[in-house]
Amino acid sequence: MNATQYIVIAAGAASILFILVYFLGGSRQKSDRDNQHKAQTKAELSLAGLHCPSCLLAIERKWKRTDGVYDVSSNFDTARSVIAYDPESVNIDELIEQVKSLGYDASPVTDDTAEATDEQVEDEVGYIRVRLITSVLLTIPIMIIAMGMHAVPPSPLVWVELILTAIVLFFGGGRILRSAWGAIKNRSSDMNVLIAVGTLAAFIYSTAAIIMSRPDIYFETTAAIITLILIGRLLETRARSHTSDAIRKLMDLQARTARVVRDGQEIDVPVEDVRVGDIVRVRPGEKIAVDGIIVDGASAVDESMITGESIPVDKASGDEVIGATINRTGSFTFEAKKVGSDTMLAQIVKLVWQAQASKAPIQRLADIVASYIVPVVVSIAVATFVIWFAFGTLTQAVLTSVAVLIIACPCALGLATPTSITVGTGKGAENGILIRSAGALETAGKIDTVVLDKTGTITLGQPSLTDVVEADSDNDTLLLAASAERASEHPIAQAIVKAAQDKGLQVREPADFIAIPGGGVKAVVDGKTVLVGTTRLQKEHSVDVSDVEDRAEALESEGKTVVIVSADAKVAGLLAVADTLKPGSKDAIKRFKEQGLRVIMITGDNHRTAAAVAAEVGIDDTMSQVLPKDKAARVSDLRREGRLVAMVGDGINDAPALVEADLGIAIGTGADIAIESADITLISGELSGVVTAIELSRATLKNIKQNLFFAFVYNSLGIPIAAGVLYPAFGVLLNPMIGAAAMAASSLSVVSNALRLRGFRPGS
């Protein structure tokens, strides 16, 4: 080797060392251990001007190196970040300025941000389209001059090439160059650095070649790379805009106007003007504007867009109604209780946005690789240039190093997880499943044990009359019992009274009513002394129950609560009350077992009742007579056995157990306490939603792994090929233009694969 080659090798080694020290030395993140006990504030920011996931990683690294910032979680598809920080050390304005210093923009999330985000997507598409059209129109003559006419210095056409290429590079790729400069200034790195270094290297080399009248000019390479990247970004932006379709569909459900009763008149007002306490009229076929309580009228309401359940729900005075649901039949008025950002729909949208901004554990590996890939790739490109310069030609050195820089873009790697998470959480919302975080979505697919609370989860949570056994034909057992129980507030008493009213019986007003704690009630009905209660209560009042004891025990063995009814010390009959199963419980538990899950029922009921309910739904393992405060300990015991546990409860009494479990699922109406305690909340209250959540999680995880495979394989194979590893055996060198096309195709393939999740169907 000659002296020039030795100098180039030494310069290359020094450059690699400088790049690694400069970028990796600046990427160290401070430890949170010294700050973990300080007060934290969370803020959500909407980002603008992002080109790819590595842009977002550059912003995150900038924030994480800032004193007072404890944690950052972001999603490229939604362009949002959630930041936990110490307000005494740093404020939001400073964090926003840091984003701007990198060449991007940020603003706090508000109620209008969702619409603004859609506008940003359209603006981004328009911005890229203008530059793409310009680049295409100029790249065509550049290619004709370079490859069709083979123009070389001193032909004046090469100066035309230079001018046209400069426009493509600095106008079409202007944002790329600005972002790359911002990243370098802040000792950060992103894919823009790779593209900028590669295209500028080819442009500067070609310009120098013209000046020195050398034939090796590659303006067409620079122009083609910028054009292909713009094509890829346009297609990718359009594709990514569909990942949040579920969110947009939810927001579009909101009614636009409401018919409000004011000053005795009904007037139509924008839904934003509805105030708490307003009386709102809803006619058949109209959307309910906000959340409230019916004050007059009745109807059947289609709540499928919120709960995922297709069967309309009967509503009457005193019942709750949810904004954005559809009134099907009758007309009613309701009092507005929650408006604006307080409505259930608004809370659902907010929760889904937050979930999409969070990161799944599976994403950590991709983030780590992506954070190091740019400085490492630049170093590989330098090494490639040096090796080809030393053992090949200058032309080969330039082409291979530029190809390495272009093809090694970490975009596909950065898109692999967040794109799937965005689509998956959106599909969950469509099915009435509120997923609190990406971590919860990932965990749901890994659980092996499901612990089900009985009351309100497997059962309806409301006792109802199941059996009436007449022992004395002279008395109507149900009428006597309902009349005696009419003044009682006990749930069993209310179930008996309701059953009598449903049958059209004329329930009497009792006299001399006495409630006997732990036993039942005593009252006078139509002149008869009526006792309704336990066997012990009857015996204490000298009532002979021997003729019905066997029947009572048989009913109790079925998990039912039995009360004996007597009139004037003579048994009139038996009534059996039970908390009936939800219609879909059996099928849901069957599907749990088909998925290989261990199913356990936990309840405070006695062993006999628990066993009866478990047998009816097909559960083999039960934990009975467990107090609410002890449920968390039972869940903890299962986890110590090495089980990955999902606890399913109503989210109120079971809050400690929901928190203790690996995955807490609140099944019910989405009350505030449920949402706070649980990782997943099922609005519909149906157990089948748990099965759907698990199926969705597994489908999402599978999709993420496919994306990561595509991304890792692409980069693992692409970089060596671009560096010329095939040249010794096959004489093949990768043209940088092909590398740019492959880079765009890889990102698009990942996004397209993630979008397949939009076709997810429960049970499929």
Side-chain angles (χ1 to χ4, degrees), residues 200-478:
L200 282 172
F203 180 79
I204 293 171
Y205 175 82
S206 299
T207 303
I210 291 178
I211 295 172
M212 294 185 294
S213 295
R214 293 179 59 88
D216 302 324
I217 56 176
Y218 302 101
F219 290 124
E220 77 280 4
T221 298
T222 299
I225 288 172
I226 294 295
T227 301
L228 288 168
I229 287 171
L230 289 174
I231 291 173
R233 286 189 175 176
L234 181 64
L235 295 174
E236 182 187 314
T237 302
R238 285 189 176 280
R240 281 195 299 107
S241 68
H242 294 298
T243 61
S244 295
D245 278 353
I247 294 291
R248 280 186 283 274
K249 287 179 182 177
L250 283 173
M251 293 188 295
D252 288 343
L253 293 175
Q254 178 65 62
R256 303 304 178 199
T257 61
R259 179 165 286 263
V260 178
V261 180
R262 289 179 180 168
D263 300 325
Q265 293 186 345
E266 295 182 4
I267 58 173
D268 290 329
V269 300
V271 70
E272 295 82 9
D273 293 342
V274 178
R275 300 187 295 266
V276 173
D278 276 343
I279 301 299
V280 183
R281 166 76 64 184
V282 185
R283 294 168 294 190
E286 290 184 337
K287 283 186 178 180
I288 297 171
V290 295
D291 300 357
I293 303 292
I294 294 178
V295 295
D296 183 47
S299 183
V301 177
D302 180 356
E303 297 183 339
S304 60
M305 63 281 295
I306 298 293
T307 65
E309 296 299 319
S310 59
I311 301 175
V313 181
D314 290 333
K315 300 285 186 178
S317 180
D319 290 336
E320 293 183 354
V321 289
I322 304 170
T325 56
I326 300 174
N327 178 32
R328 286 298 185 196
T329 54
S331 175
F332 61 86
T333 57
F334 71 93
E335 181 182 354
K337 293 294 185 181
K338 293 182 179 180
V339 301
S341 60
D342 293 329
T343 63
M344 180 177 287
L345 178 64
Q347 292 301 311
I348 290 172
V349 172
K350 181 180 179 181
L351 279 171
V352 177
W353 276 120
Q354 290 176 348
Q356 291 178 345
S358 63
K359 288 188 177 181
I362 197 172
Q363 190 175 343
R364 292 171 186 163
L365 175 61
D367 282 353
I368 291 172
V369 173
S371 66
Y372 288 101
I373 197 169
V374 172
V376 170
V377 166
V378 173
S379 299
I380 292 174
V382 172
T384 300
F385 179 89
V386 169
I387 292 171
W388 278 103
F389 182 82
F391 301 102
T393 66
L394 178 60
T395 298
Q396 290 172 327
V398 172
L399 289 177
T400 52
S401 57
V402 170
V404 167
L405 290 169
I406 299 304
I407 203 169
C409 165
C411 268
L413 193 60
L415 287 167
T417 298
T419 306
S420 297
I421 292 295
T422 300
V423 180
T425 50
K427 288 302 296 184
E430 284 185 9
N431 288 277
I433 302 168
L434 301 186
I435 301 168
R436 190 177 182 85
S437 66
L441 181 62
E442 179 177 339
T443 302
K446 298 178 179 179
I447 62 169
D448 54 38
T449 302
V450 180
V451 178
L452 304 173
D453 179 53
K454 180 183 79 70
T455 305
T457 302
I458 297 174
T459 65
L460 291 171
Q462 297 177 344
S464 59
L465 185 69
T466 59
D467 298 89
V468 178
V469 179
E470 300 284 359
D472 182 358
S473 59
D474 293 336
N475 294 293
D476 186 328
T477 303
L478 180 56

